[in-house]
């Protein structure tokens, strides 16, 4: 749904440390794990997650995450 997509994008724009991930920046697998842990989603493929982020204009590579 649109609400779930918005939540995924919102979480991707947060620093990983804010969601309990020790990594300095998001990877698709780490983001998927955090989304599952925080019950945003039950399951999602890496490809679908990548597509949602691209459609939302979110790039994990270009993102600077300040703790």
């Amino acid at each position: 749904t649109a609400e779930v997509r918005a939540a995924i994008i919102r979480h991707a724009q947060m620093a990983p440390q804010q969601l309990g991930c020790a990594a300095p920046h998001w990877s698709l697998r780490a983001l998927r794990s955090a989304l599952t842990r925080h019950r945003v989603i039950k399951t999602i493929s890496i490809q679908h997650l990548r597509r949602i982020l691209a459609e939302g204009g979110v790039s994990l590579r270009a993102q600077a995450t300040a703790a």
Side-chain angles (χ1 to χ4, degrees):
T1 66
E3 294 85 15
V4 173
R5 288 175 182 264
I8 289 171
I9 291 168
R10 210 172 31 252
H11 280 73
Q13 292 172 329
M14 297 172 76
Q17 298 82 8
Q18 291 178 289
L19 296 175
C21 183
H25 56 83
W26 285 121
S27 69
L28 289 169
R29 285 181 179 81
L31 178 58
R32 178 176 66 178
S33 177
L35 291 169
T36 302
R37 207 171 40 252
H38 288 271
R39 299 180 185 206
V40 175
I41 55 162
K42 286 186 180 181
T43 184
I44 191 169
S45 71
I46 293 294
Q47 294 83 1
H48 191 59
L49 180 56
R50 181 183 290 121
R51 197 168 29 250
I52 289 171
L53 295 175
E55 289 170 0
V58 176
S59 172
L60 298 183
R61 285 186 182 177
Q63 186 168 326
T65 54

